[in-house]
Amino acid sequence: MFKFGFSGDDINDVEVDDTDSGESTVEEIAGPNAAATVIAGDTELYDIVDLLHSLPSRISYSLLDVHNTSPSSERDASSQKCTELRIPRREVFDIKVQIMADEDLLPSISGDDEKTTAPKDEEEAKNHFRKKELQILLSNTEDLKTHLYEGGLKSWEGAGDLVEYLADYQIALGKGVLELGCGSALPSIYLFQNYVLQILSSSSEEVRAPVSFIMSDYNYAVLRLMTAPNFLLAYYNVLQSLNFDSEEQTQIADLDLQITPELLDQFFSFLEKHNISIKFISGPWNTEKFAGLLGYASSISTARIRFSSVLGSETIYSVASTNAFIPILLDSVALWNTFPDSNRESPLGLVAAKEIYFGVGGTVRQFIEDAEKKGGNLEIVRRIASGQSSGVARVIIKTTLK
């Protein structure tokens, strides 16, 4: 069994807290701008090159410890080295510093932000949405804000549960991964970091088959400021691990990374050389455009993106989020049914969730019932016991097709 742990005030929910009731803070958006806000959160696709060029000259991060308690004799050298690596995650305070210091963003967080009239056009609606989005990231007072912010800066417990499961069962990357509602994307970062380590530890010059990392989050700002930097940090973390032994690496106290043009060019060249594609999709799932970007909407001409795993953490917290999540989950699992992996009949869906979300309405039981009515085959493959006072267990749900 793998165990992990964070430190830091902004990620206190990753570690199990016996006093946690499983409740989430949700603020509903009402008033004349509600509909415009939904429209402004349009579905768009970005490449990692587009997002990383807006980074400041230095970013701060923390590291997640991953410990394997299974006997070392059961692991090969490669998998053992992977578990010794810690997963990097950009610090939330550093993101706030960037927002406040970025001259391009300053107008978005000052002045008249409480407009009482609907935006005049789509571009104004998008700018207004991005403005409100940044204000939420700065305040960080709500876990969720309907139609505006989906909690992407907070590392939810389910993401850590998925990392443990992927590690325990040594789930292979295969053709890649699609992570829905990714936020900091810890499970995908874990898979990416291991894959980078395999490449850099190998002496083979053989051209590798293409792999894809597709990260989906409602908020563009989360993808730009948190998710994309975490991939760069993972690459750098592997480089560091190959230059220091594990004991020496744990002694490094200065968890800052200087972002230089040379580092970015080196990273982008590595991705290109080894056929690694990292894409980001912002906006809601339940749109034809989202389906088109993945390549299975007939009315939109887009090359299909292959992946072998579909991951989701804490994505069924409410009835509305569950209803939006089920179709995209099942469609994604079905997408490559005709292009199987050598050891898998179709992409594997893994969903991490609390059994019940008090105050917001989502439940695992309802999720399973609704997904199975729509053709899914769902099985709880792991249950994480709740704290004595909270009474809320967490689960990992395997999703395939009937």
Side-chain angles (χ1 to χ4, degrees):
M1 175 73 72
F2 286 80
K3 294 297 179 186
F4 62 96
F6 276 120
S7 62
D9 294 339
D10 57 286
I11 45 182
N12 58 323
D13 274 359
V14 175
E15 297 178 341
V16 179
D17 183 352
D18 288 346
T19 64
D20 180 14
S21 65
E23 296 185 6
S24 296
T25 305
V26 181
E27 181 174 332
E28 297 287 342
I29 302 297
N33 285 325
T37 300
V38 179
I39 296 173
D42 195 15
T43 304
E44 297 187 35
L45 177 70
Y46 306 90
D47 187 83
I48 193 164
V49 176
D50 304 324
L51 301 188
L52 288 186
H53 277 306
S54 64
L55 284 176
S57 60
R58 183 180 295 271
I59 61 175
S60 299
Y61 64 100
S62 57
L63 291 172
L64 161 69
D65 290 307
V66 181
H67 303 294
N68 189 345
T69 58
S70 61
S72 59
S73 59
E74 298 179 4
R75 294 172 277 143
D76 58 31
S78 175
S79 63
Q80 184 166 348
K81 178 63 177 176
C82 288
T83 65
E84 293 173 354
L85 282 178
R86 298 189 286 174
I87 303 175
R89 177 188 182 276
R90 190 180 182 188
E91 293 280 19
V92 171
F93 80 82
D94 192 60
I95 292 174
K96 294 182 178 182
V97 169
Q98 180 181 348
I99 294 173
M100 291 185 289
D102 194 327
E103 293 183 359
D104 293 333
L105 299 180
L106 282 176
S108 297
I109 58 175
S110 61
D112 182 14
D113 291 315
E114 299 301 326
K115 299 178 68 174
T116 57
T117 59
K120 297 177 181 178
D121 52 35
E122 184 177 339
E123 188 64 27
E124 186 175 329
K126 182 183 294 186
N127 290 337
H128 182 68
F129 177 84
R130 297 270 173 90
K131 180 188 301 186
K132 299 294 290 184
E133 187 180 52
L134 290 170
Q135 288 178 319
I136 294 298
L137 299 190
L138 276 178
S139 65
N140 203 29
T141 56
E142 294 91 18
D143 292 341
L144 305 162
K145 206 164 187 178
T146 306
H147 301 317
L148 185 59
Y149 173 63
E150 288 293 324
L153 291 190
K154 184 172 182 177
S155 290
W156 301 86
E157 292 171 313
D161 294 338
L162 268 185
V163 171
E164 291 183 4
Y165 187 85
L166 293 170
D168 284 339
Y169 290 91
Q170 297 185 28
I171 304 297
L173 176 61
K175 298 178 179 71
V177 58
L178 166 66
E179 186 168 350
L180 300 167
C182 63
S184 55
L186 299 181
S188 296
I189 296 299
Y190 170 79
L191 292 172
F192 174 75
Q193 186 166 257
N194 288 355
Y195 189 60
V196 172
L197 178 62
Q198 292 171 20
I199 293 173
L200 294 181
S201 301
S202 172
S203 58
S204 173
E205 293 296 326
E206 181 181 354
V207 177
R208 293 178 177 263
V211 298
S212 300
F213 291 83
I214 311 104
M215 302 294 104
S216 162
D217 194 276
Y218 189 82
N219 297 103
Y220 164 76
V222 169
L223 294 172
R224 182 171 72 89
L225 298 171
M226 173 66 83
T227 320
N230 284 350
F231 278 92
L232 176 63
L233 289 169
Y235 171 74
Y236 174 76
N237 195 40
V238 174
L239 295 180
Q240 289 291 95
S241 74
L242 296 175
N243 292 328
F244 300 97
D245 61 40
S246 58
E247 181 177 355
E248 189 174 3
Q249 188 183 17
T250 60
Q251 301 299 319
I252 300 175
D254 184 13
L255 294 181
D256 287 341
L257 174 61
Q258 185 174 358
I259 309 298
T260 64
E262 292 76 19
L263 175 62
L264 291 177
D265 288 344
Q266 179 185 354
F267 179 54
F268 298 145
S269 296
F270 172 85
L271 298 179
E272 182 178 6
K273 177 181 178 181
H274 298 289
N275 290 317
I276 302 172
S277 171
I278 306 178
K279 304 289 185 181
F280 305 86
I281 305 177
S282 65
W285 302 315
N286 55 342
T287 64
E288 187 178 19
K289 188 174 181 181
F290 190 100
L293 291 174
L294 292 180
Y296 60 85
S298 58
S299 63
I300 302 178
S301 178
T302 303
R304 288 189 173 186
I305 304 174
R306 295 193 181 191
F307 45 84
S308 297
S309 298
V310 184
L311 308 178
S313 305
E314 315 275 6
T315 48
I316 60 168
Y317 62 87
S318 69
V319 174
S321 66
T322 300
N323 291 340
F325 179 66
I326 289 174
I328 192 65
L329 171 67
L330 297 182
D331 285 345
S332 299
V333 170
L335 178 57
W336 292 109
N337 203 28
T338 55
F339 297 91
D341 288 335
S342 58
N343 62 344
R344 191 182 302 168
E345 294 181 356
S346 66
L348 171 67
L350 291 172
V351 180
K354 295 182 177 68
E355 288 197 321
I356 185 170
Y357 292 84
F358 292 109
V360 284
T363 69
V364 166
R365 178 179 177 181
Q366 193 63 53
F367 166 63
I368 292 176
E369 289 181 0
D370 291 349
E372 290 189 335
K373 288 178 182 177
K374 296 182 178 181
N377 182 30
L378 281 71
E379 176 190 3
I380 295 177
V381 293
R382 172 170 290 182
R383 177 171 273 103
I384 299 95
S386 63
Q388 292 181 354
S389 60
S390 70
V392 181
R394 306 190 307 278
V395 297
I396 302 290
I397 307 161
K398 178 181 177 181
T399 305
T400 55
L401 299 177
K402 290 183 179 179

